[in-house]
Amino acid sequence: MAIRRQVLKGALGLSLAAALGSAAFAQDAAKVGLILPMTGPFASTGKQIDAAVKLFLAQNGAVFGGKKIEIILKDDTGNADTTRRLAQELVVNDKVAVLAGFGLTPLALAAAQVATQAKVPEVVMAAATATITEASPYIVRTSFTLPQASEPMADWALKNNIKKVFTVVTDYGPGIDAETSFANKFKAGGGTVESVRVPLRNPDFAPFLQRASEAKPDALFVFVPSGIGAQFMKQFVERGLDKAGVKLIGPGDVVDDDILESIGDVAIGAITTHHYSVAHDSAANKAFVTAFKAANGGMRPNFMAVAGYDGMRVIAEALKKTNGNTDGDALVAAMKGLSLESPRGPILIDPDTRDIVQNIYVRKTEKKDGELFNVEFAIIPMVKDPVKAAKKQ
Ligand code: DHB
């Protein structure tokens, strides 16, 4: 008996030590499950955000509110079923305090239920359909919304003698948001709009651009997701739309800084409205661009990178505010109302909607010192997502 008790005591003692050990470890770390498309057609989004997250932690030391942020990076390849499974595994097995990333709208939506059930914040660093933040009270967004970027484009077009616009958008959430928000505003101001939608997977823009060419619009409004712009612009030139004098307008995704050089001079003169340009003229942005390029073999940060960088900052600031408490409700409460100076300019996490409020800049694509840039020439300050703002009224 005595021996048995001794053995039992030993075993208990061991398992208790193991349990305490892991509890102590869990107290020191705040794990962030970073789910991104690292392969497949949207890998550029994953590459940009991953690099920005690494840069933020390298610059800021990774410990906030006494907790060391530990990143667990997972590749969902752009497949929503994979995103959902990875989110579940990260929550159940790895016990992450925060889920982050989400390169496309269907991927952000796929994780929403997991975030709600587990009460874990979901920081959306890329996906930009307006309604995403309504899919879970645990979603906080640091990217942008397409209506936020597209409505100012309608205002600019109306003021600049553009009367007839043909819209070409990718046929899913953000494209539909871009098309409807632009068209509603533009038509309300007296313009006319004709619209086509192009599939998300393996898009062939040629037939749609043929229709656009026949319609003889003053401007072509385009939304394609980040990374696809070069493919689009190639077919824009092949259809002769540049020579026909059709002005290219839209949210800035099509002239993404990451691929602007590969698009080439055909992009010169495009007018776009967006929240970030690598050419944004501020000390914070110059420091960000210099550090990002130095850490990534000269790669330019694009609007995805800045949202990943700010997303990490939002997580870090929330941990500081909660003194390292990783309870999901406490973290989301700490994120609400956060206001920061980002490389893109001032940003605010709207305490009511958990969506980002930020400047939208009107830019023209230009060549400067042999390099292509989206040069900002007007600012619409602190724009809220107009879809949610309209619902509130
Ligand atoms: C989305 C993806 C993008 O690459 C982009 O530029 C804008 C929006 C999205 O799927 O929400």
Side-chain angles (χ1 to χ4, degrees):
M1 267 308 258
I3 292 170
R4 225 181 124 205
R5 202 175 296 137
Q6 202 57 39
V7 170
L8 262 177
K9 232 172 111 187
L12 262 180
L14 258 182
S15 60
L16 194 64
L20 278 175
S22 66
F25 182 71
Q27 259 174 19
D28 292 332
K31 293 185 191 170
V32 175
L34 183 62
I35 310 177
L36 291 169
M38 298 305 295
T39 53
F42 304 101
S44 64
T45 295
K47 177 188 65 177
Q48 286 273 344
I49 293 178
D50 177 39
V53 164
K54 289 197 169 99
L55 177 64
F56 179 84
L57 294 174
Q59 288 177 329
N60 294 282
V63 180
F64 306 94
K67 288 278 158 73
K68 184 167 194 295
I69 291 185
E70 229 180 74
I71 302 291
I72 305 176
L73 174 66
K74 298 282 181 187
D75 176 12
D76 64 12
T77 74
N79 179 298
D81 290 333
T82 310
T83 317
R84 188 180 298 106
R85 177 178 57 75
L86 290 171
Q88 250 153 10
E89 287 171 7
L90 285 161
V91 163
V92 174
N93 302 342
D94 298 296
K95 313 236 172 338
V96 296
V98 177
L99 291 165
F102 309 103
L104 295 164
T105 289
L107 314 180
L109 292 176
Q113 215 184 353
V114 179
T116 304
Q117 281 172 357
K119 300 184 188 298
V120 167
E122 175 180 337
V123 177
V124 174
M125 296 168 161
T129 300
T131 53
I132 286 175
T133 43
E134 293 168 348
S136 166
Y138 291 88
I139 291 179
V140 172
R141 174 154 43 195
T142 61
S143 52
F144 74 113
T145 84
L146 264 310
Q148 184 182 47
S150 303
E151 279 200 358
M153 193 72 251
D155 292 329
W156 186 90
L158 288 165
K159 280 191 206 123
N160 285 273
N161 214 26
I162 291 172
K163 301 207 161 49
K164 184 174 166 188
V165 173
F166 198 93
T167 70
V168 181
V169 303
T170 306
D171 190 7
Y172 77 124
I176 295 164
D177 263 5
E179 177 200 290
T180 47
S181 59
F182 173 83
N184 289 344
K185 196 107 204 255
F186 190 65
K187 284 190 222 161
T192 60
V193 180
E194 211 177 313
S195 299
V196 291
R197 297 177 183 174
V198 184
L200 174 63
R201 302 282 166 181
N202 307 315
D204 176 10
F205 298 107
F208 303 100
L209 288 171
Q210 185 60 37
R211 279 184 58 191
S213 165
E214 284 157 13
K216 299 203 181 342
D218 300 321
L220 188 70
F221 172 99
V222 56
F223 166 80
V224 291
S226 180
I228 309 299
Q231 228 170 300
F232 174 85
M233 293 297 279
K234 190 167 169 278
Q235 296 190 355
F236 181 79
V237 177
E238 280 169 7
R239 295 281 129 189
L241 279 136
D242 56 334
K243 302 232 164 37
V246 176
K247 195 156 197 60
L248 193 78
I249 62 171
D253 309 65
V254 67
V255 286
D256 168 354
D257 279 305
D258 193 12
I259 54 169
L260 202 46
E261 281 303 316
S262 62
I263 293 176
D265 288 358
V266 61
I268 293 174
I271 302 286
T272 51
T273 38
H274 228 205
H275 53 292
Y276 180 69
S277 163
V278 78
H280 179 66
D281 190 11
S282 75
N285 188 48
K286 286 198 176 85
F288 171 66
V289 173
T290 304
F292 189 94
K293 282 179 154 182
N296 295 287
M299 178 170 79
R300 282 178 169 194
N302 69 359
F303 64 97
M304 293 298 185
V306 88
Y309 192 75
D310 292 340
M312 277 319 293
R313 179 124 174 249
V314 163
I315 295 167
E317 295 294 334
L319 277 170
K320 279 200 238 169
K321 270 172 82 174
T322 65
N323 277 320
N325 180 1
T326 54
D327 172 73
D329 289 298
L331 285 175
V332 170
M335 290 176 188
K336 289 182 182 177
L338 265 181
S339 115
L340 305 169
E341 187 60 33
S342 155
R344 63 184 117 172
I347 61 168
L348 164 74
I349 302 299
D350 187 328
D352 297 328
T353 63
R354 291 162 278 100
D355 219 331
I356 189 162
V357 183
Q358 59 191 336
N359 294 344
I360 296 298
Y361 304 89
V362 191
R363 313 98 50 87
K364 186 173 191 177
T365 309
E366 292 174 12
K367 198 166 225 175
K368 279 192 164 178
D369 303 325
E371 266 189 87
L372 292 166
F373 290 102
N374 299 307
V375 179
E376 296 167 352
F377 64 89
I379 302 180
I380 302 101
M382 297 311 266
V383 180
K384 283 189 179 193
D385 171 51
V387 171
K388 284 184 286 289
K391 279 185 196 164
K392 267 190 83 179
Q393 278 167 6

